[in-house]
Amino acid sequence: MNIKDTFTIMSRYGQPRVVTKVADNTYIIDGPSSYYRGGTTNDGDLYVDYSGGPFVCTGDSMSFYGGTEKERIKAITIIESSQEEFLTIEVITQSKEEYSLEKSIFKLRDEANAAKFPIKPVLQSILADAFNQYFQNNRWKFYDRSTTINYKNDDIETWDLKAINYAIISNYKASLENTDSLKRTKIDIFDAILEKGTTECRQWRPTLYDFLGHRALSYFMSSEVDVSRPANQFTVNNEEFLKPYTDFLNTNIVNPSDSLETKYYALKLMQDLTQFHKNDEDPNALIDIELLRLDYIHNNSQNEKKDTLYFNSLKALQTKFTQNLRVTEIDSRIANWYLQKASEYRPLEGDNYKWYKKIAKEVCESAIKKFPTSFGAIECKNLISSINTKIYNLTIEEVNEPNKPYRALVTSQNVNKIYFKIVKTSSQELRVLFRKKYG
């Protein structure tokens, strides 16, 4: 198909959009955010699946995003860097071509290999996510597949569970290799394709390194896949992992023998992100990574002291950033810690944890008073609501022996009085009653 220097495509809703050739194999689609379907217009002009705008497309005769009527490949908007370079990011969608999904992944891999900074690390991160999405969509195949030997690098159908996860991990790691340059690159240059979120979130992810690092962390922190592991596995049980960041930064995290230990990569990345932001004038990014680390280790550690270590680190963080808006998020975690401990109160065994619900509520009220519109204050309001909820439960024996005490367990929260009515009945009447109520 011959592509003219200027032509018209039709949007999903029949709106014309002008496409202009700006360089060899590079075109700009002018118009607001919309979607375009693969195929041709009535005049024979090409139109493609597309979201966002403006849109820059590259490639030989635009072949990889809709060169024929049978192709339906969706692409997202272009990144325009400070050097006025353009990038096309291809996103895998349905196609009628056989093995189109697999081919698209490896086409993206070739694009990543050929790209330069700052495009290259972004494509590597997207490639890692593409491999992960492929694994999620074909999980059953990988779990049923035995270990393969001499598999083909360009044939994902021959990969086993280890191979697909190695591809995910290696691409996430590769996206973070050029550390110094990533840390100097502001995320603002990618505003054209990003869902910016809130102003606060931008403060927590100010650089390309933060953005790509947290994308990698979302995978590294997830539950590991069920692949073979050596007997000496990497764990997060070390007490130093739950200590304040000043101690955590001095912790030597030993490289495990297994290259698929995602917990190790998560901790190393957290350590580097903490080091990067420890001296920031605005501590929001530091608080963000600290809370992420403490929550992650507390949830995954098997250390017997983890509750105490977690609490002490939160208190240290609370003291250091007492004037920061995000201190209320620390307060909500401290209050939740007290609330969880309150469930361990045993009235017949002593007064341990007896007043912890009261303390949790006081911590929440203090947080709300400090910064009433903060996100942590909203969390505290929800926590107070759960503390004030009225709960009542009665558990009795289904069958009771004649002339024996009729045992019952009554549990309640925020209920001062309970009234009972005892009615004499028979087993036959109960059967009729149960049939009416439960069928």
Side-chain angles (χ1 to χ4, degrees):
M1 178 182 294
N2 295 323
I3 306 298
K4 296 175 285 188
D5 289 347
T6 300
F7 59 96
T8 301
I9 61 176
M10 299 302 293
S11 74
R12 181 177 185 175
Y13 301 103
Q15 298 297 319
R17 298 288 182 262
V18 176
V19 180
T20 305
K21 182 176 181 180
V22 295
D24 289 341
N25 297 327
T26 304
Y27 298 80
I28 296 179
I29 299 177
D30 186 22
S33 296
S34 186
Y35 289 88
Y36 298 86
R37 297 179 178 178
T40 58
T41 67
N42 293 333
D43 297 328
D45 289 327
L46 175 71
Y47 63 103
V48 297
D49 269 353
Y50 152 69
S51 66
F55 178 60
V56 177
C57 40
T58 64
D60 183 16
S61 297
M62 303 172 71
S63 60
F64 65 82
Y65 43 72
T68 70
E69 290 185 6
K70 293 182 179 179
E71 291 176 336
R72 293 196 61 199
I73 301 176
K74 182 179 179 181
I76 61 175
T77 190
I78 306 318
I79 299 172
E80 182 178 0
S81 73
S82 57
Q83 292 79 27
E84 297 185 355
E85 296 171 341
F86 293 97
L87 164 72
T88 296
I89 300 177
E90 187 176 2
V91 176
I92 304 138
T93 56
Q94 295 180 353
S95 172
K96 296 180 181 178
E97 183 184 2
E98 188 176 13
Y99 299 114
S100 61
L101 183 63
E102 294 82 354
K103 291 178 181 178
S104 297
I105 290 177
F106 289 110
K107 189 179 292 183
L108 180 59
R109 183 190 65 181
D110 295 338
E111 291 282 338
N113 290 337
K116 296 180 180 180
F117 188 89
I119 305 306
K120 189 180 187 72
V122 176
L123 286 179
Q124 288 170 327
S125 182
I126 293 174
L127 179 60
D129 184 65
F131 277 124
N132 189 30
Q133 291 298 322
Y134 181 85
F135 166 69
Q136 297 299 329
N137 293 337
N138 297 275
R139 178 184 292 270
W140 62 275
K141 292 182 181 180
F142 287 99
Y143 280 130
D144 289 343
R145 189 175 297 160
S146 58
T147 302
T148 55
I149 302 175
N150 298 325
Y151 61 84
K152 299 177 182 179
N153 285 333
D154 291 331
D155 187 2
I156 200 171
E157 287 288 312
T158 67
W159 291 11
D160 60 15
L161 194 56
K162 281 189 174 181
I164 187 67
N165 280 281
Y166 179 77
I168 299 169
I169 292 172
S170 61
N171 278 285
Y172 273 129
K173 288 173 61 181
S175 71
L176 298 168
E177 283 181 351
N178 200 350
T179 306
D180 292 338
S181 296
L182 290 171
K183 291 177 179 178
R184 290 194 300 266
T185 305
K186 295 298 182 181
I187 193 62
D188 300 0
I189 68 170
F190 296 96
D191 278 353
I193 66 167
L194 289 178
E195 293 183 9
K196 297 180 183 179
T198 64
T199 302
E200 293 81 4
C201 288
R202 180 56 63 90
Q203 295 173 353
W204 308 341
R205 310 279 195 277
T207 69
L208 185 56
Y209 184 68
D210 291 294
F211 177 73
L212 296 179
H214 281 275
R215 277 178 59 89
L217 276 177
S218 65
Y219 174 76
F220 293 152
M221 293 170 59
S222 62
S223 300
E224 295 183 31
V225 292
D226 188 16
V227 296
S228 300
R229 289 285 192 270
N232 186 21
Q233 295 184 24
F234 181 82
T235 67
V236 293
N237 299 334
N238 190 332
E239 291 184 11
E240 301 298 320
F241 298 161
L242 260 177
K243 289 187 176 181
Y245 72 91
T246 50
D247 297 316
F248 175 64
L249 288 176
N250 296 322
T251 303
N252 181 30
I253 305 175
V254 180
N255 190 355
S257 58
D258 186 6
S259 61
L260 299 179
E261 287 286 6
T262 54
K263 288 187 176 70
Y264 166 76
Y265 298 122
L267 276 177
K268 287 294 290 183
L269 185 50
M270 288 177 185
Q271 195 175 52
D272 196 60
L273 283 166
T274 305
Q275 181 71 37
F276 177 41
H277 291 295
K278 70 174 185 178
N279 296 321
D280 286 359
E281 183 177 348
D282 182 351
N284 278 304
L286 175 61
I287 296 173
D288 187 59
I289 191 64
E290 266 297 272
L291 292 178
L292 187 68
R293 172 178 65 90
L294 293 175
D295 290 345
Y296 172 68
I297 302 300
H298 183 244
N299 291 333
N300 290 276
S301 175
Q302 301 299 320
N303 193 304
E304 294 180 354
K305 301 178 182 178
K306 70 174 186 177
D307 288 346
T308 302
L309 291 167
Y310 178 68
F311 178 80
N312 291 338
S313 293
L314 287 175
K315 292 294 288 184
L317 208 60
Q318 181 192 49
T319 302
K320 186 171 181 62
F321 300 108
T322 185
Q323 299 303 318
N324 188 279
L325 192 71
R326 296 198 69 187
V327 72
T328 56
E329 294 175 50
I330 304 170
D331 293 336
S332 72
R333 284 167 170 79
I334 293 174
N336 196 57
W337 184 90
Y338 277 113
L339 189 59
Q340 290 178 355
K341 285 295 180 181
S343 64
E344 299 179 26
Y345 171 52
R346 300 292 180 267
L348 301 179
E349 298 177 7
D351 290 339
N352 292 336
Y353 313 116
K354 181 176 181 179
W355 303 109
Y356 274 29
K357 278 189 180 181
K358 180 175 180 291
I359 297 173
K361 185 177 180 181
E362 290 172 350
V363 171
C364 287
E365 290 171 342
S366 175
I368 295 169
K369 186 176 180 180
K370 282 187 291 187
F371 299 106
T373 60
S374 64
F375 178 72
I378 296 174
E379 291 181 319
C380 286
K381 290 176 183 178
N382 292 334
L383 203 57
I384 289 177
S385 179
S386 68
I387 293 173
N388 290 335
T389 299
K390 292 185 177 182
I391 300 174
Y392 164 70
N393 186 57
L394 174 65
T395 305
I396 60 175
E397 300 281 0
E398 185 174 350
V399 178
N400 198 67
E401 294 183 51
N403 301 321
K404 295 286 185 179
Y406 195 92
R407 294 179 297 181
L409 173 64
V410 180
T411 57
S412 65
Q413 174 181 296
N414 300 317
V415 177
N416 296 324
K417 291 183 180 180
I418 301 174
Y419 296 92
F420 290 98
K421 182 179 181 180
I422 301 175
V423 179
K424 185 177 181 180
T425 185
S426 66
S427 59
Q428 183 61 33
E429 288 176 335
L430 283 177
R431 288 193 191 98
V432 174
L433 180 65
F434 287 153
R435 284 197 190 100
K436 288 182 178 179
K437 187 170 184 179
Y438 301 111

mmCIF file of all heavy atoms in Angstrom, residues 213-242:
data_model
loop_
_atom_site.group_PDB
_atom_site.id
_atom_site.type_symbol
_atom_site.label_atom_id
_atom_site.label_comp_id
_atom_site.label_asym_id
_atom_site.label_seq_id
_atom_site.Cartn_x
_atom_site.Cartn_y
_atom_site.Cartn_z
ATOM 1 N N GLY A 213 11.471 2.313 38.298
ATOM 2 C CA GLY A 213 11.782 1.518 39.474
ATOM 3 C C GLY A 213 10.540 0.967 40.140
ATOM 4 O O GLY A 213 10.488 -0.206 40.530
ATOM 5 N N HIS A 214 9.516 1.796 40.264
ATOM 6 C CA HIS A 214 8.279 1.327 40.898
ATOM 7 C C HIS A 214 7.503 0.372 39.988
ATOM 8 O O HIS A 214 6.768 -0.492 40.484
ATOM 9 C CB HIS A 214 7.423 2.516 41.308
ATOM 10 C CG HIS A 214 7.878 3.159 42.583
ATOM 11 N ND1 HIS A 214 7.501 2.724 43.826
ATOM 12 C CD2 HIS A 214 8.737 4.203 42.804
ATOM 13 C CE1 HIS A 214 8.057 3.465 44.758
ATOM 14 N NE2 HIS A 214 8.819 4.375 44.168
ATOM 15 N N ARG A 215 7.657 0.526 38.681
ATOM 16 C CA ARG A 215 7.071 -0.469 37.772
ATOM 17 C C ARG A 215 7.716 -1.837 38.006
ATOM 18 O O ARG A 215 7.034 -2.862 38.056
ATOM 19 C CB ARG A 215 7.267 -0.047 36.312
ATOM 20 C CG ARG A 215 6.246 0.939 35.793
ATOM 21 C CD ARG A 215 6.548 1.335 34.349
ATOM 22 N NE ARG A 215 6.566 0.200 33.454
ATOM 23 C CZ ARG A 215 5.500 -0.280 32.803
ATOM 24 N NH1 ARG A 215 4.325 0.293 32.977
ATOM 25 N NH2 ARG A 215 5.611 -1.306 31.986
ATOM 26 N N ALA A 216 9.026 -1.844 38.154
ATOM 27 C CA ALA A 216 9.732 -3.100 38.416
ATOM 28 C C ALA A 216 9.360 -3.660 39.790
ATOM 29 O O ALA A 216 9.170 -4.873 39.954
ATOM 30 C CB ALA A 216 11.245 -2.882 38.316
ATOM 31 N N LEU A 217 9.240 -2.771 40.777
ATOM 32 C CA LEU A 217 8.887 -3.228 42.126
ATOM 33 C C LEU A 217 7.520 -3.908 42.155
ATOM 34 O O LEU A 217 7.311 -4.851 42.920
ATOM 35 C CB LEU A 217 8.885 -2.044 43.094
ATOM 36 C CG LEU A 217 10.225 -1.628 43.689
ATOM 37 C CD1 LEU A 217 10.060 -0.396 44.553
ATOM 38 C CD2 LEU A 217 10.836 -2.768 44.503
ATOM 39 N N SER A 218 6.591 -3.429 41.340
ATOM 40 C CA SER A 218 5.261 -4.034 41.330
ATOM 41 C C SER A 218 5.326 -5.511 40.952
ATOM 42 O O SER A 218 4.489 -6.306 41.392
ATOM 43 C CB SER A 218 4.346 -3.281 40.364
ATOM 44 O OG SER A 218 4.794 -3.421 39.025
ATOM 45 N N TYR A 219 6.333 -5.872 40.150
ATOM 46 C CA TYR A 219 6.516 -7.287 39.816
ATOM 47 C C TYR A 219 7.370 -7.998 40.860
ATOM 48 O O TYR A 219 7.032 -9.095 41.315
ATOM 49 C CB TYR A 219 7.165 -7.444 38.445
ATOM 50 C CG TYR A 219 7.507 -8.889 38.121
ATOM 51 C CD1 TYR A 219 6.504 -9.775 37.751
ATOM 52 C CD2 TYR A 219 8.813 -9.369 38.219
ATOM 53 C CE1 TYR A 219 6.797 -11.099 37.485
ATOM 54 C CE2 TYR A 219 9.110 -10.686 37.954
ATOM 55 C CZ TYR A 219 8.097 -11.552 37.583
ATOM 56 O OH TYR A 219 8.392 -12.874 37.326
ATOM 57 N N PHE A 220 8.477 -7.380 41.261
ATOM 58 C CA PHE A 220 9.380 -8.018 42.220
ATOM 59 C C PHE A 220 8.695 -8.290 43.556
ATOM 60 O O PHE A 220 9.035 -9.253 44.247
ATOM 61 C CB PHE A 220 10.618 -7.146 42.449
ATOM 62 C CG PHE A 220 11.511 -7.011 41.245
ATOM 63 C CD1 PHE A 220 12.296 -5.876 41.067
ATOM 64 C CD2 PHE A 220 11.573 -8.006 40.287
ATOM 65 C CE1 PHE A 220 13.119 -5.747 39.965
ATOM 66 C CE2 PHE A 220 12.390 -7.888 39.176
ATOM 67 C CZ PHE A 220 13.164 -6.754 39.012
ATOM 68 N N MET A 221 7.745 -7.452 43.929
ATOM 69 C CA MET A 221 7.064 -7.611 45.213
ATOM 70 C C MET A 221 5.887 -8.579 45.151
ATOM 71 O O MET A 221 5.332 -8.937 46.198
ATOM 72 C CB MET A 221 6.565 -6.252 45.708
ATOM 73 C CG MET A 221 7.663 -5.282 46.081
ATOM 74 S SD MET A 221 7.036 -3.616 46.370
ATOM 75 C CE MET A 221 5.873 -3.911 47.703
ATOM 76 N N SER A 222 5.496 -8.978 43.968
ATOM 77 C CA SER A 222 4.368 -9.890 43.837
ATOM 78 C C SER A 222 4.779 -11.296 44.271
ATOM 79 O O SER A 222 5.960 -11.602 44.422
ATOM 80 C CB SER A 222 3.866 -9.917 42.392
ATOM 81 O OG SER A 222 4.883 -10.384 41.525
ATOM 82 N N SER A 223 3.790 -12.143 44.466
ATOM 83 C CA SER A 223 4.074 -13.520 44.877
ATOM 84 C C SER A 223 4.897 -14.211 43.813
ATOM 85 O O SER A 223 4.596 -14.138 42.620
ATOM 86 C CB SER A 223 2.770 -14.291 45.103
ATOM 87 O OG SER A 223 2.001 -13.667 46.100
ATOM 88 N N GLU A 224 5.923 -14.894 44.237
ATOM 89 C CA GLU A 224 6.794 -15.555 43.283
ATOM 90 C C GLU A 224 6.087 -16.746 42.638
ATOM 91 O O GLU A 224 5.255 -17.406 43.249
ATOM 92 C CB GLU A 224 8.064 -16.027 43.982
ATOM 93 C CG GLU A 224 8.921 -14.901 44.516
ATOM 94 C CD GLU A 224 10.208 -15.406 45.141
ATOM 95 O OE1 GLU A 224 10.711 -16.437 44.692
ATOM 96 O OE2 GLU A 224 10.690 -14.760 46.077
ATOM 97 N N VAL A 225 6.458 -16.983 41.406
ATOM 98 C CA VAL A 225 5.872 -18.123 40.704
ATOM 99 C C VAL A 225 6.429 -19.418 41.268
ATOM 100 O O VAL A 225 7.493 -19.448 41.879
ATOM 101 C CB VAL A 225 6.186 -18.041 39.195
ATOM 102 C CG1 VAL A 225 5.450 -16.888 38.564
ATOM 103 C CG2 VAL A 225 7.677 -17.916 38.968
ATOM 104 N N ASP A 226 5.703 -20.474 41.064
ATOM 105 C CA ASP A 226 6.069 -21.768 41.641
ATOM 106 C C ASP A 226 7.103 -22.467 40.762
ATOM 107 O O ASP A 226 6.797 -23.379 39.999
ATOM 108 C CB ASP A 226 4.818 -22.644 41.785
ATOM 109 C CG ASP A 226 5.099 -23.907 42.559
ATOM 110 O OD1 ASP A 226 6.145 -23.966 43.228
ATOM 111 O OD2 ASP A 226 4.280 -24.839 42.488
ATOM 112 N N VAL A 227 8.324 -22.021 40.859
ATOM 113 C CA VAL A 227 9.405 -22.666 40.127
ATOM 114 C C VAL A 227 10.368 -23.289 41.114
ATOM 115 O O VAL A 227 10.335 -22.998 42.300
ATOM 116 C CB VAL A 227 10.154 -21.654 39.226
ATOM 117 C CG1 VAL A 227 9.242 -21.117 38.147
ATOM 118 C CG2 VAL A 227 10.711 -20.516 40.049
ATOM 119 N N SER A 228 11.235 -24.156 40.624
ATOM 120 C CA SER A 228 12.181 -24.852 41.495
ATOM 121 C C SER A 228 13.113 -23.849 42.162
ATOM 122 O O SER A 228 13.597 -22.916 41.540
ATOM 123 C CB SER A 228 12.989 -25.864 40.682
ATOM 124 O OG SER A 228 12.124 -26.818 40.099
ATOM 125 N N ARG A 229 13.369 -24.063 43.419
ATOM 126 C CA ARG A 229 14.227 -23.189 44.189
ATOM 127 C C ARG A 229 15.313 -24.021 44.877
ATOM 128 O O ARG A 229 15.084 -25.174 45.240
ATOM 129 C CB ARG A 229 13.416 -22.448 45.265
ATOM 130 C CG ARG A 229 12.496 -21.385 44.706
ATOM 131 C CD ARG A 229 13.300 -20.152 44.287
ATOM 132 N NE ARG A 229 12.453 -19.021 44.006
ATOM 133 C CZ ARG A 229 11.951 -18.750 42.819
ATOM 134 N NH1 ARG A 229 12.217 -19.527 41.797
ATOM 135 N NH2 ARG A 229 11.189 -17.695 42.627
ATOM 136 N N PRO A 230 16.492 -23.444 45.090
ATOM 137 C CA PRO A 230 17.510 -24.150 45.852
ATOM 138 C C PRO A 230 17.097 -24.278 47.308
ATOM 139 O O PRO A 230 16.200 -23.551 47.774
ATOM 140 C CB PRO A 230 18.747 -23.249 45.701
ATOM 141 C CG PRO A 230 18.197 -21.893 45.425
ATOM 142 C CD PRO A 230 16.940 -22.126 44.628
ATOM 143 N N ALA A 231 17.730 -25.169 48.039
ATOM 144 C CA ALA A 231 17.366 -25.376 49.440
ATOM 145 C C ALA A 231 17.596 -24.112 50.266
ATOM 146 O O ALA A 231 16.816 -23.780 51.153
ATOM 147 C CB ALA A 231 18.162 -26.538 50.011
ATOM 148 N N ASN A 232 18.660 -23.395 49.958
ATOM 149 C CA ASN A 232 18.990 -22.174 50.689
ATOM 150 C C ASN A 232 18.378 -20.968 49.975
ATOM 151 O O ASN A 232 19.028 -20.279 49.206
ATOM 152 C CB ASN A 232 20.515 -22.024 50.797
ATOM 153 C CG ASN A 232 20.911 -20.857 51.671
ATOM 154 O OD1 ASN A 232 20.126 -20.397 52.493
ATOM 155 N ND2 ASN A 232 22.121 -20.371 51.491
ATOM 156 N N GLN A 233 17.098 -20.725 50.236
ATOM 157 C CA GLN A 233 16.381 -19.660 49.553
ATOM 158 C C GLN A 233 16.624 -18.318 50.230
ATOM 159 O O GLN A 233 16.911 -18.237 51.418
ATOM 160 C CB GLN A 233 14.885 -19.960 49.542
ATOM 161 C CG GLN A 233 14.510 -21.185 48.741
ATOM 162 C CD GLN A 233 13.005 -21.378 48.697
ATOM 163 O OE1 GLN A 233 12.235 -20.444 48.865
ATOM 164 N NE2 GLN A 233 12.581 -22.606 48.459
ATOM 165 N N PHE A 234 16.458 -17.251 49.452
ATOM 166 C CA PHE A 234 16.563 -15.901 49.991
ATOM 167 C C PHE A 234 15.275 -15.567 50.738
ATOM 168 O O PHE A 234 14.177 -15.811 50.237
ATOM 169 C CB PHE A 234 16.783 -14.893 48.861
ATOM 170 C CG PHE A 234 16.932 -13.483 49.333
ATOM 171 C CD1 PHE A 234 18.144 -13.012 49.797
ATOM 172 C CD2 PHE A 234 15.840 -12.626 49.330
ATOM 173 C CE1 PHE A 234 18.276 -11.701 50.243
ATOM 174 C CE2 PHE A 234 15.962 -11.319 49.769
ATOM 175 C CZ PHE A 234 17.186 -10.856 50.232
ATOM 176 N N THR A 235 15.402 -15.028 51.947
ATOM 177 C CA THR A 235 14.236 -14.651 52.743
ATOM 178 C C THR A 235 14.366 -13.189 53.180
ATOM 179 O O THR A 235 15.449 -12.585 53.089
ATOM 180 C CB THR A 235 14.093 -15.527 54.001
ATOM 181 O OG1 THR A 235 15.183 -15.255 54.900
ATOM 182 C CG2 THR A 235 14.095 -17.006 53.631
ATOM 183 N N VAL A 236 13.281 -12.645 53.667
ATOM 184 C CA VAL A 236 13.291 -11.269 54.168
ATOM 185 C C VAL A 236 13.151 -11.272 55.687
ATOM 186 O O VAL A 236 12.573 -10.347 56.272
ATOM 187 C CB VAL A 236 12.161 -10.449 53.519
ATOM 188 C CG1 VAL A 236 12.426 -10.272 52.031
ATOM 189 C CG2 VAL A 236 10.796 -11.102 53.743
ATOM 190 N N ASN A 237 13.686 -12.289 56.341
ATOM 191 C CA ASN A 237 13.540 -12.439 57.785
ATOM 192 C C ASN A 237 14.568 -11.658 58.591
ATOM 193 O O ASN A 237 14.477 -11.599 59.820
ATOM 194 C CB ASN A 237 13.633 -13.924 58.169
ATOM 195 C CG ASN A 237 12.534 -14.751 57.523
ATOM 196 O OD1 ASN A 237 11.465 -14.242 57.197
ATOM 197 N ND2 ASN A 237 12.786 -16.035 57.338
ATOM 198 N N ASN A 238 15.559 -11.083 57.917
ATOM 199 C CA ASN A 238 16.597 -10.324 58.608
ATOM 200 C C ASN A 238 15.984 -9.117 59.330
ATOM 201 O O ASN A 238 15.232 -8.350 58.744
ATOM 202 C CB ASN A 238 17.647 -9.859 57.595
ATOM 203 C CG ASN A 238 18.887 -9.279 58.262
ATOM 204 O OD1 ASN A 238 18.829 -8.746 59.363
ATOM 205 N ND2 ASN A 238 20.016 -9.399 57.588
ATOM 206 N N GLU A 239 16.343 -8.941 60.602
ATOM 207 C CA GLU A 239 15.802 -7.832 61.389
ATOM 208 C C GLU A 239 16.152 -6.480 60.781
ATOM 209 O O GLU A 239 15.379 -5.518 60.892
ATOM 210 C CB GLU A 239 16.331 -7.894 62.832
ATOM 211 C CG GLU A 239 15.799 -9.063 63.639
ATOM 212 C CD GLU A 239 16.280 -9.026 65.076
ATOM 213 O OE1 GLU A 239 16.858 -7.979 65.481
ATOM 214 O OE2 GLU A 239 16.089 -10.020 65.794
ATOM 215 N N GLU A 240 17.312 -6.389 60.124
ATOM 216 C CA GLU A 240 17.751 -5.112 59.562
ATOM 217 C C GLU A 240 16.812 -4.613 58.468
ATOM 218 O O GLU A 240 16.728 -3.410 58.225
ATOM 219 C CB GLU A 240 19.167 -5.258 58.984
ATOM 220 C CG GLU A 240 20.212 -5.710 59.991
ATOM 221 C CD GLU A 240 20.385 -4.708 61.123
ATOM 222 O OE1 GLU A 240 20.371 -3.493 60.836
ATOM 223 O OE2 GLU A 240 20.532 -5.143 62.278
ATOM 224 N N PHE A 241 16.107 -5.527 57.838
ATOM 225 C CA PHE A 241 15.200 -5.133 56.756
ATOM 226 C C PHE A 241 13.988 -4.359 57.276
ATOM 227 O O PHE A 241 13.310 -3.665 56.504
ATOM 228 C CB PHE A 241 14.721 -6.356 55.983
ATOM 229 C CG PHE A 241 15.821 -7.124 55.297
ATOM 230 C CD1 PHE A 241 15.629 -8.440 54.902
ATOM 231 C CD2 PHE A 241 17.050 -6.534 55.046
ATOM 232 C CE1 PHE A 241 16.632 -9.148 54.254
ATOM 233 C CE2 PHE A 241 18.069 -7.238 54.414
ATOM 234 C CZ PHE A 241 17.856 -8.543 54.017
ATOM 235 N N LEU A 242 13.688 -4.477 58.577
ATOM 236 C CA LEU A 242 12.532 -3.815 59.164
ATOM 237 C C LEU A 242 12.922 -2.636 60.053
ATOM 238 O O LEU A 242 12.075 -2.090 60.746
ATOM 239 C CB LEU A 242 11.694 -4.807 59.976
ATOM 240 C CG LEU A 242 10.444 -5.371 59.297
ATOM 241 C CD1 LEU A 242 9.757 -6.386 60.186
ATOM 242 C CD2 LEU A 242 9.470 -4.266 58.919
#
